[in-house]
């Protein structure tokens, strides 16, 4: 991998790392709302990172609506102001926790897999073609234009760049380019590696929180990391937004596996909004996550406290609404929605589409993709029902898309389904690992936990 | 609010930061151990195989692959970049241009156009088979080909490029 390899220059890479760190730090200013005692330090980093990136997206959207060009001083000042306001007005932060210092063998393997993926990503050899066709192109264009260039997106021939997609990833690329002073491809690849690392941290937290045994935790983490790295390296995945959706689903596992509480609602709210800002399928995922978490909440208990119910509903739904409404407005205003995206549902295609979905898994996932068949089984474990529901609904959404596109879906399935499996598989395999083992003593979750749920709201 | 212990606490899960290994179950079932071992081993084999294949792909990358299979850092992309270097910074930012290249297998012209658009992000680049693009464009970048302009329009050479030419389009 040496001769002719594009050597990553350290300055843009440092700039990308600095942007990621700054956004995570900005997200940590919301820790009084987003993190609680049961969240490990690594999971807090996950939530802070997602919160920071979401805050950046909202700020850039706001700057765009105000007609202010994206320039580094303006973006940095706006982000600092938002973080300062959060620091001043949000509740006191949760107690401090320490990063783990005693990594097990599985965590070591997972770290190694992530570093291997990062090395390949920085070489650009595993850059996803869509980085060239639209993600990277949009990021570079937005960087040069100082904002989302809707006139560019709306050009009739630019339907190929998916002009109707949400723009979080190109925005991250644009801000990284601003910090680096130029659009540097290896620096952009660092975002995929960052998402991979955060995903593994979220998986670890889910395993930890469900009291999975040491062997299960270590083996699951190592296996998931290596399977994901194998797919990522072998199938050119770096630089695409699929990492963001996979990260969102993995990050949603801990709150979905825990008793419902206000902090979990805030975490789901941020994660859902992050997903909605990342991709069109993330908008569906946002609705699914919010719906499932809301369905678990003991709303009847809130009759005596309607204000509390409204606060919870706002915590869950407002971040996603703040992302989705401006996006829909822009899509409508600039006529960005592609006519090829959706048509009437054609259930008669189901047989061919399902066969194509199965075919597409051959040769791309080393058999791990068939793990999605375990999803209905996950629902047998009471702890995992919310997770199973989220994954199944998201899978059904993909099936719906394949059954409704106004052209032959089979080539589309072959080209896209392995990537979509990447969204679901880390969370599905984590759920399967959790289902393998019950906590010590065989304790079971009581059938009716609503009283405890209410207690946990406080 | 009630002071009763939470569900998590009743299930033996600590609410606070905790070390997972302090509350291990009595033992993992042998079948589960076997399954986990196979899972990790298979994932390791997959990763090793894909790593090797990717390294081999890098070492044996072909210089003249169809544009559908181009990757960043490969020779065909470098050649196209060399050609477009003569355009980058020469045309005013935001200019509309048509990009033309020879047809070929696997929609070669289409994918070359996508790569050209990526390499020239400050231009509004349309493909040569798009009539609206021709109408909107003031320039033509011809890479290893020379398409006929639409009826009534004419081309005036501005400068030669490495492997191509840059023209101004004169509309009627």
């Amino acid at each position: 991998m040496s001769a002719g390899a594009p050597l990553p220059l350290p300055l843009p890479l440092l700039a990308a790392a600095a942007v990621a760190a700054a956004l995570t730090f900005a997200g940590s200013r919301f820790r009084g709302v987003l993190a609680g005692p049961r969240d490990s330090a690594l999971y807090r980093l996950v939530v802070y990172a997602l919160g920071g990136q979401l805050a950046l997206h909202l700020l850039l959207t706001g700057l765009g609506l105000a007609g202010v060009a994206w320039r580094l001083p303006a973006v940095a000042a706006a982000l600092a102001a938002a973080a300062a306001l959060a620091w001043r007005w949000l509740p006191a932060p949760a107690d401090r926790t320490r990063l783990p210092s005693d990594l097990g063998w599985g965590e070591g393997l997972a770290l190694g897999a992530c570093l291997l993926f990062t090395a390949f990503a920085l070489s650009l050899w595993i850059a996803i073609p869509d980085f060239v066709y639209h993600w990277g192109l949009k990021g570079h264009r937005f960087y040069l234009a100082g904002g989302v260039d809707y006139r560019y997106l709306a050009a009739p021939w630019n339907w190929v760049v998916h002009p109707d997609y949400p723009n979080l990833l190109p925005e991250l690329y644009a801000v990284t380019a601003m910090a680096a002073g130029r659009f540097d491809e290896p620096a952009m690849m660092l975002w995929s590696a960052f998402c991979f690392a955060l995903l593994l941290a979220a998986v670890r937290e889910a395993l930890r929180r469900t009291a999975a045994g040491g062997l299960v935790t270590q083996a699951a983490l190592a296996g998931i990391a290596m399977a994901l790295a194998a797919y990522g390296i072998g199938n050119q995945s770096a630089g695409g937004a699929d990492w963001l959706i996979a990260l969102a689903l993995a990050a949603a596992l801990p709150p979905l596996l825990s008793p419902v509480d206000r902090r979990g609602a805030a975490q789901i709210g941020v994660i859902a909004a992050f997903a909605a800002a990342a991709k069109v399928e993330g908008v569906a995922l946002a609705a699914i996550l919010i719906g499932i978490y809301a369905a678990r909440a003991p709303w009847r208990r809130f009759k005596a406290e309607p204000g509390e119910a409204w606060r919870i509903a706002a915590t869950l739904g407002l971040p996603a609404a703040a992302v989705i409404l401006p996006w829909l407005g822009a899509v409508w205003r600039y006529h960005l929605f592609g006519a090829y995206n959706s048509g009437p549902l054609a259930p008669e295609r189901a047989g061919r589409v399902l066969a194509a979905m199965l075919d597409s898994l051959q040769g791309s996932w080393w058999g791990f993709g068939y793990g999605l068949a375990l999803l209905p089984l996950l629902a047998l474990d009471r702890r995992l029902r919310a997770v199973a529901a989220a994954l199944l609904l998201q899978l059904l959404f993909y099936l719906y898309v394949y059954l409704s596109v106004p052209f032959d879906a089979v080539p589309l399935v072959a080209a896209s389904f392995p990537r979509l499996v990447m969204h679901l598989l880390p969370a599905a395999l984590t759920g399967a690992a959790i289902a393998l083992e019950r906590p010590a003593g065989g304790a079971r979750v009581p059938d009716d936990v609503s009283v405890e749920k209410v207690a946990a709201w406080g | 609010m009630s002071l009763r212990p939470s569900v998590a606490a009743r299930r033996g899960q600590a609410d606070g930061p905790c070390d997972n290994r302090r509350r291990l179950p009595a033992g993992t079932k042998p079948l589960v151990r076997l399954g986990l071992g196979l899972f990790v081993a298979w994932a390791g084999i997959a990763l090793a195989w894909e790593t090797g294949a990717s390294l081999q792909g890098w070492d044996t990358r072909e210089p003249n692959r169809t544009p559908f299979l181009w990757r960043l850092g490969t020779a065909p992309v470098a050649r196209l970049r060399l050609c477009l270097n003569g355009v980058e910074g020469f045309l005013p930012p935001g200019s509309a241009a048509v990009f033309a290249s020879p047809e070929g297998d696997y929609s070669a012209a289409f994918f070359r156009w996508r790569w050209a658009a990526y390499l020239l992000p400050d231009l509004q680049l349309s493909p040569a088979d798009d009539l609206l693009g021709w109408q909107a464009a003031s320039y033509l970048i011809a890479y290893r080909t020379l398409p006929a302009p639409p009826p009534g329009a004419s081309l005036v050479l501005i400068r030669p490029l490495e492997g191509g030419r840059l023209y101004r389009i004169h509309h009627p």
Side-chain angles (χ1 to χ4, degrees), chain A residues 43-68:
Chain A
Y43 185 62
R44 290 181 190 203
L45 277 182
V46 174
V47 179
Y48 297 159
L50 267 57
Q53 292 173 40
L54 174 63
L56 175 74
H57 172 75
L58 294 174
L59 283 173
L60 294 180
T61 303
L63 289 177
L65 289 172
V68 178

Side-chain angles (χ1 to χ4, degrees), chain A residues 33 262-263 265-270 310-319:
Chain A
V33 176
R262 194 185 299 164
R263 207 156 271 131
Q267 290 170 348
I268 288 289
V270 164
W310 280 109
R311 272 192 291 276
I312 297 301
T315 305
L316 261 179
L318 272 186

Side-chain angles (χ1 to χ4, degrees), chain B:
Chain B
M1 288 296 172
S2 166
L3 294 176
R4 294 175 61 183
S6 69
V7 176
R10 283 167 48 190
R11 289 166 56 197
Q13 299 172 29
D15 267 344
C18 56
D19 182 346
N20 197 29
R21 273 155 284 199
R22 285 181 193 154
R23 47 185 171 70
L24 288 177
T28 308
K29 293 174 186 168
L31 203 59
V32 172
R33 282 174 177 268
L34 178 66
L36 288 170
L38 288 174
F39 172 53
V40 174
W42 189 242
I45 290 169
L47 180 55
W49 180 278
E50 294 292 0
T51 300
S54 204
L55 285 170
Q56 196 177 17
W58 173 265
D59 289 339
T60 61
R61 61 193 185 280
E62 297 168 29
N64 287 312
R65 308 179 91 183
T66 178
F68 174 63
L69 297 173
W70 284 3
R71 292 192 190 193
L72 286 166
T74 55
V77 175
R79 281 196 292 270
L80 179 60
R81 194 188 291 263
L82 198 62
C83 169
L84 299 180
N85 280 346
V87 179
E88 192 176 16
F90 184 76
L91 299 182
S95 299
V98 172
F99 178 84
S101 71
E103 293 293 341
D105 292 340
Y106 301 104
S107 306
F110 172 85
F111 285 107
R112 266 191 225 101
W113 163 56
R114 293 318 308 148
W115 276 91
Y118 173 76
L119 296 171
L120 294 171
D122 59 340
L123 300 186
Q124 181 69 272
L125 217 58
S126 59
D129 59 1
D130 190 306
L131 193 57
L132 286 174
W134 277 101
Q135 289 168 354
S138 304
Y139 303 95
L140 165 68
I141 301 166
Y143 182 63
R144 298 182 174 182
T145 187
L146 180 56
S154 60
L155 303 177
V156 176
L157 180 67
I158 298 178
R159 67 187 311 193
L161 305 169
E162 190 74 36
R165 290 176 175 188
L166 176 64
Y167 297 90
R168 179 181 293 280
I169 303 171
H170 284 282
H171 295 285

